[in-house]
Amino acid sequence: QVELVESGGGSVQAGRSLRLSCVVSRLIIDYYCMGWVRQAPGKEREGVASIYYVGGRVTLSYADSVKGRFTISQDNAKRTQDLQMNSLKPEDTATYYCVFDYSCPTGATLDPGQYKYWGQGTQVTVSS
């Protein structure tokens, strides 16, 4: 079983930045995929960024909606992944979930359905 705990959400004005963090309870460092999925009220879940790690090689993937503004990173020693969110927009308002899996048939996937483990979510609110 893997537990994920997010932190770092909050309320900011458009154009500002926030950094989300996620701690992974167990991490076998040779092979995994993880990322961030968000869901706004009344909308579908959307994968925004992901990491595919295998044997020291890292592949990143971003949704078009956040490319150039969001940066995902990981630290195996600390068992963490972070999402740096810059130039935030009101449409970024959502609950953000940290996601993780050891089964990664499609690599750095943005498909929320591919992830078995989910955190409890952290709210990000961006006002105009």
Side-chain angles (χ1 to χ4, degrees):
Q1 184 69 19
V2 175
E3 294 183 355
L4 308 171
V5 179
E6 304 103 333
S7 61
S11 298
V12 297
Q13 290 187 320
R16 303 298 292 269
S17 299
L18 279 175
R19 189 177 184 89
L20 305 182
S21 294
C22 175
V23 178
V24 184
S25 63
R26 293 175 55 208
L27 187 63
I28 302 174
I29 64 171
D30 288 340
Y31 180 87
Y32 61 80
C33 50
M34 60 183 175
W36 295 88
V37 171
R38 68 185 181 187
Q39 186 167 27
K43 293 190 176 181
E44 298 287 320
R45 296 178 304 178
E46 176 191 20
V48 297
S50 65
I51 292 173
Y52 176 54
Y53 180 96
V54 55
R57 293 178 57 189
V58 175
T59 303
L60 307 180
S61 182
Y62 295 96
D64 289 341
S65 58
V66 306
K67 202 170 292 183
R69 300 188 297 122
F70 290 11
T71 302
I72 190 171
S73 60
Q74 41 71 243
D75 186 324
N76 288 340
K78 296 180 180 179
R79 293 181 286 110
T80 59
Q81 68 160 340
D82 293 341
L83 184 69
Q84 178 66 42
M85 305 184 294
N86 297 330
S87 302
L88 283 162
K89 304 176 181 179
E91 50 263 44
D92 293 321
T93 295
T95 301
Y96 284 71
Y97 298 91
C98 175
V99 294
F100 181 92
D101 210 319
Y102 287 118
S103 176
C104 314
T106 55
T109 180
L110 295 177
D111 179 1
Q114 292 292 322
Y115 292 97
K116 179 178 180 180
Y117 301 103
W118 290 62
Q120 80 284 358
T122 186
Q123 179 66 35
V124 172
T125 302
V126 184
S127 58
S128 57

